[in-house]
Amino acid sequence: MNSHPAAQARQAGAPQAATTVRTAVLHLLRSFGMTTIFGNPGSTELPMFRDFPADFRYVLGLQEAVVVGMADGYAQATRRPAIVNLHSAAGVGNAMGNIFTAYMNRTPLVITAGQQARSILPFDPFLYSAQPTELPKPYVKWSIEPARAQDVPLALARACYIAMQPPCGPVLVSIPADDWDQPAELVEPRVVSSAIRPEPAVLQRIGDALDASRKAAFVVGAGVDRDGAWDEVLQLAERHRARVWVAPMSARCGFAEDHPLFAGFLPAMREKIVGLLGGHDLILAIGAPAFAYHVEGSGPHVPDGATLCQLIDDPQTAAWTPVGMSAVCSIRLGVQDLLARAAPAIPRELPPRRPARPRAEPPVAGERMSVAFALQTLHEVRDQRDIVVEEAPGARSVMQEHLPITRSDTFYTMASGGLGWGLPAAVGVALGKPGARVINLMGDGSSMYSIQALWSAAQLKLPITFVILKNRRYAALQDFAPVFGYAPDEKPQGTDLPELDFVALARGQGCTAVHVERTADLRDVLTQALRSTGPVLVEIEVQ
Ligand SMILES: Cc1ncc(C[n+]2csc(CCOP(=O)(O)OP(=O)(O)O)c2C)c(N)n1
Ligand SMILES: [Mg+2]
């Protein structure tokens, strides 16, 4: 006989409580449209998923980094919060790297973490979480273990609203295993609008500065596409004939990279940013920090004679911005308010076009192909509507030259720098955009942090082309070494990656895979892979 009280009650034909924590939570998630649950279960979650409703779908990830990465991609692709279920302290611990990334990505994630039953918490039970609300800090916006079981549904509603308040981000609710069968009241969804318009007086000053400018530059960040402001930014740039730069380390696209006003990508280095923006009298950062730096620098943050203005959805970012004027607002609403002003009376001169992109050459006989040649070929055979999810640190700048992004919602990478996000995020994006083709561009090193995502992609039969750039090393670190005082011929420790077989790793998880090293094969292999209805991994040997 089953010893669980709920099972005994069911077997005895006893009436079920009208509403339990479980039914109230499912009701709430359903009314929010959050019926896809990303998770990796443990004993503390088994009571949550008993009588799992048919209109819900559980997406299993085989490690918690995969679970959170998939949910992040899904939430970004759908512009909705995603729900994640993790197992106690161990699960949250495994997930932490990608929770950090979701926080930096400003991705709304509602994470529930299983906790041991309240009745045995006094005895430090097996697999409990000692300080569940502290564990994920500071990379959750809010965390709670409700004081009483019946408070769980209300806590989850609050968690959803907080996750969606700009800047969006992850939140965590720790739920003891014995809460699910407790009585609770239904919580109905409410309209909670958190988008804010800029302060009119400040917007007017920014608009006046823009009108007075003769040579404006825009620096567009991830906030543009995240907030669906692509078209508005394009309109504003054309009106002011501003050159448009992509912000350093931007995790999303913000402007068509084939547009005559597109100027290029700013690096994460202070002096280089100042050099590239030289000659502009106004710099308008839109949905971007000003600026994200990766290495030390000194001197001014903007060129002499330039004024910095910023539209930003994050008060913290506005607070640390070193110079200029910042308006905290929804990016789309802020740009719309600028567009609502009269256009400048005298049209500006068209700025010079960016030089044409260089062509990559095929390799000379006996040598491996360059990353540039591989990505140029990929660009030639792919459709502009295909979505690129990238985590290939050493190849990023090459990708920017040879794989231009020209449409909204077609580029995602992580804002944090933490590896292990890209592969599962591609799975989440594909789930969130049914019908779209996803190209997951990965370094060989980066793909190993969450390689189990291939299994989820195969199980879900998603149309993803995983492109692994196999250079057998952590090239980004080797290339970076001279900045940290290494001699030109000195290789940093722990940066070689011999003997990795991605075809075997993919096939071992039920995913089709092909190895390519000859340029003559590359085009056909990629064309075939991009036509496949299910996932295909293409391992490309590169220099
Ligand atoms: C979680 C995590 N661990 C380590 C690093 C340090 N790191 C930055 S780039 C990089 C190498 C990435 O290698 P690969 O994906 O092969 O790309 P490549 O540099 O070869 O283009 C490493 C290990 C990191 N950013 N995040
Ligand atoms: Mg590599």
Side-chain angles (χ1 to χ4, degrees):
M1 164 130 180
N2 192 324
S3 63
H4 192 277
Q8 282 176 8
R10 273 191 298 186
Q11 276 160 10
Q16 302 279 300
T19 305
T20 60
V21 170
R22 181 189 305 103
T23 53
V25 164
L26 292 173
H27 173 80
L28 185 75
L29 293 177
R30 186 179 284 121
S31 53
F32 281 141
M34 294 163 72
T35 53
T36 297
I37 301 180
F38 297 88
N40 186 275
S43 52
T44 48
E45 290 71 56
L46 292 178
M48 176 176 182
F49 298 125
R50 215 176 52 232
D51 301 328
F52 193 65
D55 59 329
F56 276 64
R57 134 173 101 165
Y58 187 88
V59 178
L60 175 63
L62 299 185
Q63 211 270 9
E64 286 81 354
V66 173
V67 173
V68 174
M70 290 194 297
D72 187 327
Y74 185 78
Q76 290 202 56
T78 56
R79 291 202 174 86
R80 302 274 316 136
I83 177 114
V84 176
N85 181 248
L86 303 176
H87 179 46
S88 191
V92 174
N94 282 347
M96 204 56 225
N98 273 344
I99 294 176
F100 165 63
T101 290
Y103 184 84
M104 302 306 285
N105 283 353
R106 276 76 170 104
T107 303
L109 293 186
V110 178
I111 302 170
T112 60
Q115 169 68 300
Q116 268 293 9
R118 291 180 195 265
S119 64
I120 51 171
L121 280 181
F123 314 112
D124 283 10
F126 190 61
L127 269 173
Y128 88 123
S129 189
Q131 296 180 45
T133 57
E134 295 302 308
L135 186 60
K137 285 181 185 168
Y139 298 113
V140 285
K141 292 176 67 186
W142 186 66
S143 56
I144 192 168
E145 186 171 281
R148 304 174 306 169
Q150 62 259 48
D151 300 331
V152 168
L154 206 53
L156 265 173
R158 180 169 169 182
C160 288
Y161 300 131
I162 294 175
M164 285 300 283
Q165 280 164 1
C168 299
V171 294
L172 182 136
V173 183
S174 168
I175 308 176
D178 52 347
D179 282 4
W180 294 102
D181 289 317
Q182 298 299 315
E185 282 174 24
L186 290 182
V187 175
E188 297 303 336
R190 299 185 305 122
V191 173
V192 177
S193 167
S194 305
I196 49 173
R197 291 209 105 99
E199 163 71 42
V202 175
L203 198 277
Q204 188 179 341
R205 288 179 64 186
I206 293 176
D208 290 348
L210 203 49
D211 288 347
S213 151
R214 295 275 148 238
K215 290 176 98 177
F218 289 1
V219 176
V220 295
V224 170
D225 217 26
R226 211 167 44 219
D227 207 24
W230 175 283
D231 293 339
E232 285 86 348
V233 167
L234 175 70
Q235 228 183 310
L236 192 70
E238 288 180 345
R239 173 188 283 189
H240 292 276
R241 296 198 163 167
R243 299 193 82 203
V244 182
W245 295 86
V246 171
M249 302 289 187
S250 178
R252 302 269 296 246
C253 51
F255 200 74
E257 295 167 20
D258 58 352
H259 191 281
L261 289 170
F262 177 67
F265 302 87
L266 292 178
M269 293 179 195
R270 191 192 302 197
E271 292 86 344
K272 285 197 177 167
I273 293 171
V274 170
L276 287 166
L277 294 178
H280 288 292
D281 54 4
L282 179 95
I283 294 154
L284 178 61
I286 310 176
F291 297 99
Y293 298 133
H294 189 190
V295 287
E296 290 179 87
S298 58
H301 296 272
V302 293
D304 270 356
T307 306
L308 176 73
C309 297
Q310 182 182 46
L311 300 180
I312 189 78
D313 60 359
D314 180 359
Q316 291 291 339
T317 308
W320 66 249
T321 300
V323 293
M325 201 168 7
S326 300
V328 176
C329 60
S330 142
I331 304 307
R332 196 167 35 84
L333 296 181
V335 178
Q336 279 174 359
D337 282 356
L338 286 173
L339 285 171
R341 293 165 54 97
I346 315 155
R348 304 287 173 261
E349 263 174 53
L350 210 56
R353 265 195 96 125
R354 185 177 192 247
R357 294 161 191 273
R359 279 213 48 93
E361 296 302 323
V364 293
E367 288 210 347
R368 291 204 177 115
M369 74 180 92
S370 64
V371 172
F373 183 80
L375 296 185
Q376 175 175 291
T377 309
L378 175 62
H379 175 60
E380 285 164 3
V381 299
R382 72 137 179 169
D383 189 298
Q384 288 296 295
R385 288 167 301 188
D386 293 347
I387 300 171
V388 177
V389 180
E390 174 259 343
E391 189 176 291
R396 170 78 64 85
S397 55
V398 183
M399 184 200 74
Q400 290 168 342
E401 283 304 329
H402 296 283
L403 193 69
I405 303 294
T406 57
R407 291 170 185 231
S408 170
D409 279 338
T410 61
F411 178 71
Y412 302 84
T413 185
M414 42 69 185
S416 66
L419 302 177
W421 173 88
L423 239 147
V427 177
V429 169
L431 262 184
K433 294 253 188 228
R437 158 84 38 196
V438 172
I439 298 170
N440 182 212
L441 187 61
M442 296 294 297
D444 50 355
S446 300
S447 51
M448 288 305 293
Y449 292 78
S450 303
I451 194 76
Q452 304 94 320
L454 292 174
W455 179 86
S456 298
Q459 291 297 311
L460 295 161
K461 302 184 173 59
L462 293 168
I464 306 174
T465 306
F466 297 98
V467 177
I468 311 286
L469 298 170
K470 184 169 170 179
N471 57 8
R472 300 169 186 260
R473 59 201 177 98
Y474 289 152
L477 296 186
Q478 293 177 354
D479 297 348
F480 216 11
V483 177
F484 293 93
Y486 280 65
D489 58 348
E490 187 185 358
K491 193 195 288 182
Q493 294 298 304
T495 57
D496 278 337
L497 301 175
E499 315 266 339
L500 282 168
D501 181 343
F502 288 92
V503 172
L505 284 163
R507 289 186 184 154
Q509 298 181 74
C511 181
T512 306
V514 199
H515 172 88
V516 190
E517 49 186 84
R518 299 183 335 145
T519 50
D521 302 332
L522 183 64
R523 182 173 292 267
D524 284 350
V525 167
L526 287 173
T527 305
Q528 288 299 322
L530 289 167
R531 273 189 204 143
S532 169
T533 51
V536 179
L537 180 144
V538 181
E539 174 190 74
I540 311 177
E541 293 271 2
V542 292
Q543 272 166 21

